[in-house]
Amino acid sequence: MVAFTSDVSQNKYLPAGGTEVHAVVTVTAADDRGAGTPAGPGTGGPGSAAEVILLDCSGSMSGRKIKEAANAAAVAIDTLRDGVAFAVVEGTHRASMIYPRETALAVASAETRAAARAAVGRLRAHGGTSIGEWLLLARELMLARPDAIHHTLLLTDGQNGEDENRFTQALARCEGVFQCDCRGVGADWSVAQLRQVAQKLLGSVELLREPAQMAADFQAVIAAAMGREVDRVALRLWAPKGATVRFVRQVLPEVDDLTARATEVSPLVRDYPTGAWGAGTRAYHLCVDVPAGPVGAEKLAARVSLVVGDDVLSTAKVLAAWTDDAELSTQMDKVVAHYTGQAELARAIQEGLEARQEGDLSTAATRLGIAARLAAAAGDSATLARLDKVVEIEDAATGKVVLRGVVDKLDEMDLDAKSTRTVPAPK
Amino acid sequence: MTVRCPHGHLSGTDDWCDTCGAPIEPAGRRAGPQVPTAPLPAGSSSSAWPAAAGAPAGGPPRPGARPAAAGGAARCPRCGLSREARQRYCEACGHDFDAPPAHDLSEDTSPPVTPGPPGPPVRTRSWAAEVAPDRAYFDRGDDGSAVFPANAASRLIPLTGARSLIGRRSRSLSISPRIDLSLDPEDTGVSRSHAVLDHPPGGPLTVTDLGSSNGTRLGDDLKLLVKGVAVELADGDRLYLGSWTRITFHAR
């Protein structure tokens, strides 16, 4: 099983009359069986997995891409452990079953894996791209297995051809039913579209530059999905009477704003869905406005728990204390400062790239300069390297950058797709 | 297991109150002073302004009176609300206790107290305030300066603790009223610090207008409250204020 622990980082001191409380809650899920122990053959009981692979088979996939996609799907199928419920779906302007033939999930075994591999080997590219339709078929398949941990892997190489309404309605119907990791291959898909899917369905977005990268990536995604053991975990936030929750956002491993996803449990308690958990660390930055107390008083500003239903997996307390010592109240906690910077970094990259596409070059240079400064301050060398392909970084410490004249579209998309990724706060 | 917090809430958690977040552990086990509870002197059941330490006994504070001593409990010279220890700003009106007294002399808003009837034994009960936009009241005062909100849903706000402020939230003035008419739909005809409700546990419910710009009215005949005078409210009583706000009180 997975054991949860949580830590709070905050400066609890507020000036007289101060109301705004910030804290970062870092939650670590540790696999207490020891790393690498397989979960064992699925029993079909609670906690078993259901996996649907959604493959773009539209006309633009023809040639090397569809061959590599079929190859990658075969590797993914081989990564499914025995007993996992699975299906492979062909996505075009509609969605149809590749394996099994009927609209149902198959149970993974040596025999069904071989049959599924053979079926994906026969794929042909044809037709358009309707991502909403693909997701709705996955939903139908998943609903037949309500007890499982539901995960899908979506691969596309192009932009969605559906009208916006149909797409957002399909997304809304899938929310909470399954999680979806999205992969874009080549340079013709839209980072914003897949990010919309990933954020709604608690997954990730990744650019695959080369079709040949697919197999290794699919294997990693499926292995991670197989490692998830605790499903429907919610972050439960209690704040005192009179308090307002300004925001709750995940800040590690990726920036993801949860504020609008709250469901009210009671007038003072809200749940924010976090999906299924395997071993790993996630951090949440929350900001709560509490009624100001007198100087010298201390009170609880928030109680943050990870829950499954009403079972509490871990809990952490966020405090507020009022002081007239300005030295105490003006200090910013290092971890809060780090993740505030990381969230700003993600926003600066996205806004900078957007301005660049719109031809507003001075805004683009300013925003991407801020991004370079924040990435350098956080010691985030991977982001700096991605930035360096879009701007020439003259001085990272001050954020002085010059836009590059010629930029590879793939480099720009990669910077955008990975903009939400964060690095952990230094210990 | 339930415990009672220093503010009188019943809490299902025994470390911090699960309503207001106040510490429940006994003093001494935790660093820092306890939050003082609101003073409730005997015999003041009909008074909205319980005497506080440091204030002249038997009457309202003199206008412009400075807090007796820094850190000591006193009352706000502007609105008369009792001040908690070492608090810089008044919880009700945002008055700066550290401001020079000359400023206070210009505003004589110290609240006189209407003597109530000899206190009959009061049942312990709790109150809730129902806040709703009221079309009929709006139409009576409609001068075209405000638009009646399309979303006319009502809110029920339990009156916990001993005192609740009616007003509109202001960060700059550090005002966070329990009955906050800045929430959507915002009634801008309500003053930031409009009126205060006193509801000591076991005592009566009273309302005191804090010198609001447009006044507070009681009952369907819209009787205007006198600024600074506490008026006792009964179950079902209605207050009207701002452009359309009606507050109905329910005893529970």
Side-chain angles (χ1 to χ4, degrees), chain A residues 349-361:
Chain A
I349 291 174
Q350 288 167 20
E351 288 172 1
L353 290 178
E354 204 180 306
R356 190 178 169 281
Q357 273 158 21
E358 285 164 2
D360 181 355
L361 300 183

Side-chain angles (χ1 to χ4, degrees), chain A residues 263-329:
Chain A
T263 51
E264 193 176 293
V265 176
S266 71
L268 302 181
V269 178
R270 276 163 214 182
D271 273 2
Y272 301 83
T274 69
W277 283 63
T281 298
R282 302 187 200 179
Y284 300 91
H285 180 178
L286 54 127
C287 176
V288 178
D289 255 328
V290 295
V295 166
E298 185 174 39
K299 67 180 181 184
L300 191 64
R303 205 185 279 272
V304 181
S305 314
L306 271 276
V307 300
V308 174
D310 280 322
D311 291 341
V312 177
L313 307 173
S314 79
T315 188
K317 294 167 203 169
V318 175
L319 302 179
W322 286 268
T323 177
D324 44 20
D325 183 342
E327 213 166 300
L328 283 178
S329 61

Side-chain angles (χ1 to χ4, degrees), chain B residues 109-228:
Chain B
T109 57
S110 60
V113 176
T114 40
V122 232
R123 287 179 293 125
T124 300
R125 56 180 179 179
S126 66
W127 294 89
E130 187 195 347
V131 179
D134 187 290
R135 182 82 220 190
Y137 168 60
F138 173 79
D139 288 342
R140 283 168 77 165
D142 191 6
D143 58 2
S145 65
V147 179
F148 190 75
N151 166 23
S154 72
R155 291 185 279 150
L156 191 67
I157 302 163
L159 303 180
T160 51
R163 177 174 289 152
S164 304
L165 181 66
I166 302 172
R168 284 187 303 124
R169 188 181 140 81
S170 161
R171 278 183 65 75
S172 56
L173 298 175
S174 300
I175 299 174
S176 24
R178 171 171 293 155
I179 300 181
D180 183 0
L181 282 324
S182 74
L183 296 178
D184 188 40
E186 178 169 24
D187 188 340
T188 51
V190 174
S191 295
R192 291 280 169 202
S193 184
H194 194 105
V196 68
L197 298 167
D198 276 83
H199 38 81
L205 170 67
T206 60
V207 60
T208 310
D209 184 280
L210 295 170
S212 63
S213 308
N214 299 321
T216 308
R217 291 159 197 278
L218 174 61
D220 290 343
D221 52 354
L222 302 184
K223 190 165 159 280
L224 192 64
L225 297 188
V226 179
K227 171 174 83 176

Side-chain angles (χ1 to χ4, degrees), chain A residues 1-4 29-37 229 278-279:
Chain A
M1 265 312 285
V2 181
F4 288 76
D31 197 333
D32 46 17
R33 280 188 323 248
T37 313
E229 291 183 49

